[in-house]
Amino acid sequence: MILAATTALVTNPVTIFLIVLAIILFAPVILNRLKIPHIIGMIVAGVVVGPFGLNILASDSSFAIFGQVGLLYLMFLAGLEIDMYHLRRNLSRGVLFGLLTFFIPMVMGVLASVYVLHVSWLTSFLLAAMYASHTLIAYPVAARFGITKSPAVLISVVGTIIAVVGALLVLAGAVNIHDTGEFQSGGMLWLFAKLALYCLAVLYVYPRLTRRFFKLYSEKVTQYVYVLMMVFLSAWISGAIGLEPVLGAFFAGLVLNRYIPSDSPLMNSIEFVGNALFIPYFLIGVGMMINVGVITRGDTLFIAAIMLAVALASKWIAAWIAQKAYRMDACDRRMMFGLTTAHTAVALAVVTIGYNMILPDGSRMMDESILNGTVLVILVTCAIAPIVTSQAAAQIKIRQLQETDAHPRAHRRASRTLVAVANPLTAGALVEMAMFMRGRRTGPDAHRLYALHVRNDNSPAAKAMGENALRLATAAAAGADTPLATIERFDINTVTGIVNTAQEREISGILLGMHRKSTIIDSFLGAKIEQLLKATNCMVTISRCYIPVNTVTRIVVFVPRKAEYETGFGRWVLAMGNLAKQVGCRIIFCADTAQQGILRRLISETGLGIRHEYITVDDNEDMVLLTNQVLDDDLFVIVGARPNSVSYTSSMVEIPQFLQRYFTSNNICIIYPEQFGAEAPQFSFTDPLGADITTTPSPLWQAVRSRLHRINLLKKRITHRNRRE
């Protein structure tokens, strides 16, 4: 590429960084007023200040480094923000679209190069690889509209992987033919073998290492640095085996996707740093490589027109065929075309390699006209892609909102969750779980979060503990950019403070932690929680997690009989579905056959998009079969019931003792669904209806019950073994 003849006007590092920050700040502000995607502003600003514009800044090593980092960061975010459930559902369609968006440009590119541009067959295949490849430069537009989980975007992302891998394989084959004079199948097979080994190694090592690291180190800065290191390690290995580092960064995002929930503070930090610095640096660097002056030189306009027509037409035809094959809307076709039409990094790599290849007669495989034509293709496609993507994204977003409004109103009621924080050590974890369980709604139906600390002591130590717990709760919510209202209350006791606050704020759900005492005289739930269950009818969730919630592998939910008749059935199902969606794990419901059909329909109606499996249990006593199935990294959720409720049975009296006996070291979450009606009165110990759910039965009844329980357990295990055989 033709370099600038004069030295840049600005060489001071501080001034260079100031100019870059000014572009990042003012380009979106100005272009938003003109209804132009800010990505174009970054690229145009790079053209203006670059070597081929006003020559204010030089395209030096700093832009090369930050630009490469920004490109890898962009691909990493693309993999990280993908909903793996929807990706699996759209995988086959994405593969087909990837083959279309690869082979159609290849065929059209080879024919146009041979019969119109009159270049050799080897040069034609190399040039066609440039048409087939593309860069997700418009992906931030889709992310800004919040449609990254739509089928059109997911299909485009999968298609990008197929197209880029195919283009790089063609490039490797062309280089091999140029160096050896013939095509060597052994070299290509070895490249495929290295790719397969690389994928298997990352899939095996990264999840285990990440889960262990996140368990040991919960500090967000440490986790952020670890994630970046793993991303660039994957990118480096990908480049070392002969593929593009962008594939390694994208693959790392897919693998780490499971451990970085979209509402977590870590995800917020990753998006903030990338969108504020690295990705804009990459876009400005792309603009600095574009030389607008080459348009009028030689036959560049004719060559560029042919190349541009092939590049745009081939991608549009692929998107049109995919739209018709999948019966999608026109806005989906424009989205797929917009995301796959931009050519930057891989195109430059292909053309640069071809430009540097010297043929036996001393000429270059790709002359300066093709090189300049490629620059013009990059300029035009990078300008078209964000505009088309922005228009399509707006229509897809409107369609999603209309589909959301079509969901049953009962599942979209405004919700307010009160997180009771008493211990600073668990305050942050409880707030994170509350954020994961809430829906990501905005507007009048938005889910509101409150953090409450109740004290009945005015001592400096009690005040300091309360302030520290609320501060850590606020920090956890602020890290995920989630509003959280903090409440510090002085009341006669904790239960009274929580109940009064719930009534004043119209709370629909209460989340609190389970005490971790292990002495025999302590009840499993704790006296305060037992009193709270009697004093309120809203949904109460009691959590005890020994590991970070984002490292949970499965959520196992035990659903008692007749639980579907409770008023709060839909609310707790939605909360657990949101938790599984955020964590990215599968949820297993242990329920009877009738309940399974209701759960499937409810999950489908709410559009959760999660992996849900079922284990058939016919009786509450079947909970004993789960003792060997719930693993240490699972979250065991038990749906309880208050006395006198529809789903309450006498066997629930022993649930706390059962959990204390068999699940002392497991992650547990107990949910008591909400009930409408007047608040349950505080029964005295003389009221037969006010029996404590953890009251210890008489010694004689305990002995009889224990013997019956052992016999029943033995029968269940024998039946379960026979079924497996």
Side-chain angles (χ1 to χ4, degrees):
M1 192 170 297
I2 304 172
L3 298 178
T6 58
T7 306
L9 297 177
V10 178
T11 57
N12 184 278
V14 177
T15 310
I16 292 175
F17 200 70
L18 174 62
I19 294 174
V20 172
L21 291 179
I23 295 173
I24 296 174
L25 174 62
F26 292 110
V29 174
I30 296 174
L31 292 176
N32 282 341
R33 295 177 177 270
L34 302 176
K35 306 299 181 181
I36 299 176
H38 72 282
I39 293 179
I40 298 179
M42 301 291 180
I43 298 175
V44 173
V47 175
V48 173
V49 302
F52 306 107
L54 300 178
N55 198 25
I56 298 175
L57 303 178
S59 184
D60 54 12
S61 59
S62 64
F63 281 94
I65 294 174
F66 276 92
Q68 182 69 11
V69 170
L71 177 59
L72 297 179
Y73 212 104
L74 178 63
M75 297 301 297
F76 166 62
L77 278 179
L80 197 62
E81 294 179 349
I82 288 177
D83 189 317
M84 299 305 296
Y85 172 80
H86 288 94
L87 178 64
R88 294 187 187 97
R89 294 187 61 182
N90 294 278
L91 185 60
S92 59
R93 295 195 294 178
V95 171
L96 177 58
F97 176 65
L99 296 176
L100 290 172
T101 197
F102 170 72
F103 282 108
I104 292 178
M106 283 293 300
V107 173
M108 293 180 61
V110 170
L111 296 178
S113 300
V114 173
Y115 297 105
V116 180
L117 298 181
H118 304 292
V119 297
S120 65
W121 283 96
L122 183 59
T123 305
S124 299
F125 274 96
L126 195 60
L127 195 57
M130 184 271 292
Y131 299 136
S133 66
H134 57 263
T135 304
L136 291 174
I137 196 172
Y139 186 82
V141 177
R144 190 178 296 272
F145 278 87
I147 60 169
T148 56
K149 299 176 182 179
S150 66
V153 176
L154 294 171
I155 290 172
S156 300
V157 172
V158 177
T160 299
I161 303 173
I162 303 298
V164 172
V165 171
L168 294 175
L169 292 176
V170 172
L171 174 61
V175 173
N176 182 265
I177 293 175
H178 176 267
D179 294 339
T180 62
E182 60 180 358
F183 177 76
Q184 295 181 343
S185 58
M188 297 301 297
L189 292 176
W190 174 234
L191 182 62
F192 276 113
K194 289 190 294 184
L195 175 62
L197 291 175
Y198 157 75
C199 293
L200 292 176
V202 173
L203 283 174
Y204 181 81
V205 175
Y206 270 43
R208 291 163 176 78
L209 191 61
T210 301
R211 185 183 293 114
R212 182 168 182 81
F213 187 90
F214 280 7
K215 287 180 181 179
L216 295 176
Y217 304 98
S218 59
E219 208 276 321
K220 301 307 176 187
V221 175
T222 305
Q223 291 184 352
Y224 177 80
V225 175
Y226 165 81
V227 168
L228 282 191
M229 187 194 73
M230 301 303 288
V231 170
F232 283 89
L233 175 62
S234 177
W236 177 79
I237 296 175
S238 178
I241 65 175
L243 295 174
E244 277 292 309
V246 293
L247 291 176
F250 180 80
F251 192 57
L254 288 179
V255 176
L256 296 176
N257 179 300
R258 161 71 177 78
Y259 304 98
I260 307 177
S262 58
D263 277 353
S264 65
L266 179 58
M267 184 65 176
N268 188 61
S269 300
I270 293 173
E271 290 181 335
F272 174 79
V273 175
N275 294 327
L277 185 62
F278 289 128
I279 296 177
Y281 235 111
F282 160 67
L283 297 174
I284 295 172
V286 170
M288 296 178 70
M289 294 186 296
I290 297 175
N291 185 3
V292 183
V294 304
I295 297 177
T296 59
R297 298 177 184 174
D299 56 351
T300 300
L301 282 178
F302 172 75
I303 295 176
I306 299 299
M307 296 175 64
L308 188 60
V310 174
L312 294 177
S314 60
K315 293 296 183 180
W316 187 90
I317 292 174
W320 179 79
I321 294 176
Q323 178 225 341
K324 295 300 181 181
Y326 305 145
R327 299 180 180 179
M328 304 174 75
D329 297 333
C331 58
D332 295 317
R333 180 191 66 233
R334 289 193 292 271
M335 173 60 66
M336 292 186 289
F337 171 69
L339 288 176
T340 59
T341 193
H343 298 74
T344 54
V346 180
L348 283 175
V350 171
V351 176
T352 302
I353 291 174
Y355 182 76
N356 293 327
M357 286 183 179
I358 307 299
L359 299 176
D361 59 358
S363 62
R364 297 181 182 273
M365 179 175 290
M366 293 184 179
D367 57 18
E368 188 173 304
S369 297
I370 295 180
L371 184 64
N372 294 336
T374 303
V375 172
L376 190 59
V377 170
I378 292 174
L379 175 62
V380 176
T381 56
C382 287
I384 291 177
I387 296 176
V388 176
T389 304
S390 180
Q391 294 174 350
Q395 297 178 356
I396 293 177
K397 185 64 176 180
I398 293 174
R399 185 182 64 189
Q400 288 184 348
L401 293 176
Q402 292 173 347
E403 292 174 353
T404 302
D405 291 337
H407 289 158
R409 188 69 186 175
H411 304 308
R412 298 191 295 110
R413 292 178 297 169
S415 301
R416 299 184 178 187
T417 299
L418 179 67
V419 184
V421 294
N423 190 347
L425 298 177
T426 59
L430 286 175
V431 171
E432 284 193 8
M433 176 166 282
M435 291 189 297
F436 295 162
M437 292 171 60
R438 72 189 180 102
R440 301 190 66 183
R441 296 188 295 270
T442 58
D445 291 335
H447 195 124
R448 301 182 183 179
L449 295 180
Y450 299 86
L452 170 68
H453 178 78
V454 182
R455 57 182 175 83
N456 54 7
D457 185 1
N458 277 329
S459 64
K463 291 182 179 180
M465 177 175 290
E467 293 174 356
N468 192 24
L470 292 176
R471 179 181 59 82
L472 293 174
T474 303
D481 197 21
T482 300
L484 176 71
T486 58
I487 304 171
E488 186 177 12
R489 189 184 188 100
F490 183 89
D491 220 316
I492 56 175
N493 58 59
T494 303
V495 174
T496 304
I498 294 176
V499 172
N500 291 337
T501 303
Q503 293 176 344
E504 295 167 359
R505 299 297 197 281
E506 297 181 352
I507 298 298
S508 58
I510 300 175
L511 174 64
L512 63 164
M514 185 185 302
H515 76 92
R516 301 189 180 185
K517 298 178 182 179
S518 58
T519 55
I520 299 177
I521 60 174
D522 292 316
S523 65
F524 184 75
L525 295 178
K528 295 179 180 179
I529 295 178
E530 296 160 11
Q531 296 172 13
L532 178 63
L533 293 175
K534 300 176 183 177
T536 180
N537 284 325
C538 64
M539 186 175 78
V540 177
T541 306
I542 309 160
S543 171
R544 184 193 69 187
C545 284
Y546 294 111
I547 62 175
V549 67
N550 61 316
T551 61
V552 169
T553 56
R554 302 182 307 173
I555 299 177
V556 182
V557 183
F558 180 81
V559 185
R561 295 183 62 186
K562 299 182 180 180
E564 67 272 21
Y565 299 114
E566 297 287 356
T567 304
F569 180 77
R571 186 180 293 276
W572 73 255
V573 172
L574 184 61
M576 289 297 101
N578 286 327
L579 179 61
K581 186 174 184 178
Q582 289 292 324
V583 177
C585 65
R586 56 177 171 163
I587 184 169
I588 303 174
F589 291 100
C590 304
D592 60 34
T593 306
Q595 291 173 332
Q596 293 176 16
I598 297 174
L599 289 168
R600 287 191 177 94
R601 184 171 64 252
L602 184 59
I603 293 174
S604 175
E605 289 177 353
T606 52
L608 286 171
I610 57 175
R611 289 182 59 193
H612 48 104
E613 302 174 1
Y614 298 89
I615 297 177
T616 302
V617 294
D618 298 324
D619 191 83
N620 290 345
E621 295 292 340
D622 286 349
M623 188 186 296
V624 298
L625 300 177
L626 301 177
T627 55
N628 296 326
Q629 297 187 24
V630 179
L631 307 177
D632 292 339
D633 289 337
D634 293 344
L635 176 62
F636 186 32
V637 180
I638 303 94
V639 181
R642 295 174 174 86
N644 303 322
S645 62
V646 177
S647 59
Y648 181 80
T649 60
S650 59
S651 61
M652 289 188 176
V653 174
E654 292 190 351
I655 288 181
Q657 298 176 1
F658 174 79
L659 295 176
Q660 191 172 18
R661 178 182 302 175
Y662 297 105
F663 296 94
T664 55
S665 59
N666 292 91
N667 310 298
I668 294 176
C669 184
I670 306 176
I671 299 177
Y672 289 87
E674 67 176 332
Q675 293 176 318
F676 291 158
E679 299 295 325
Q682 292 280 3
F683 293 106
S684 65
F685 66 91
T686 59
D687 192 330
L689 298 180
D692 193 339
I693 63 173
T694 57
T695 300
T696 304
S698 64
L700 177 61
W701 174 248
Q702 271 191 322
V704 175
R705 186 80 182 195
S706 177
R707 181 63 58 87
L708 293 175
H709 177 74
R710 291 178 181 177
I711 295 174
N712 191 29
L713 177 60
L714 181 60
K715 291 180 179 179
K716 294 290 183 181
R717 287 180 174 175
I718 294 174
T719 304
H720 183 63
R721 186 184 302 112
N722 293 335
R723 288 177 180 177
R724 294 183 61 182
E725 293 177 353

